[in-house]
Amino acid sequence: MAQKSVSSDKMLNLGYRVLMKRNSTYIAFVLAGALLGERVVNYGFDTAWERNNQGKLFKHIEGKIASEGGGEGGGDDE
């Protein structure tokens, strides 16, 4: 059991020395994590939205609308 504690202490000490010893490094790490996290969450929600609304979004029915001839124009253009 003592072996795990020593290994864990070494990892925590390394993490402190690499990431938290300087304020600028810590801030850069937090900002990079926030940006990466935002990208991951955005991708996840976009994927869920696409799956939930499959066949209902404009990009899914765009070809059907174009083939029916229901394009732009009200017919009153002179």
Side-chain angles (χ1 to χ4, degrees):
M1 187 83 173
Q3 199 66 306
K4 270 188 175 178
S5 178
V6 172
S7 176
S8 177
D9 288 344
K10 285 183 181 180
M11 291 300 290
L12 288 173
N13 193 13
L14 176 66
Y16 171 76
R17 282 187 286 135
V18 171
L19 298 175
M20 296 185 195
K21 194 165 186 177
R22 292 186 185 157
N23 192 35
S24 59
T25 307
Y26 179 69
I27 289 173
F29 176 72
V30 169
L31 289 176
L35 291 173
L36 181 65
E38 185 270 336
R39 298 290 298 218
V40 168
V41 169
N42 190 27
Y43 176 76
F45 276 103
D46 282 347
T47 302
W49 183 264
E50 291 279 335
R51 285 185 183 167
N52 192 37
N53 293 304
Q54 186 68 33
K56 299 175 187 174
L57 300 175
F58 179 73
K59 65 182 175 182
H60 298 147
I61 61 172
E62 184 176 10
K64 293 177 186 176
I65 293 173
S67 66
E68 291 174 1
E72 294 182 25
D76 236 13
D77 297 64
E78 290 185 29

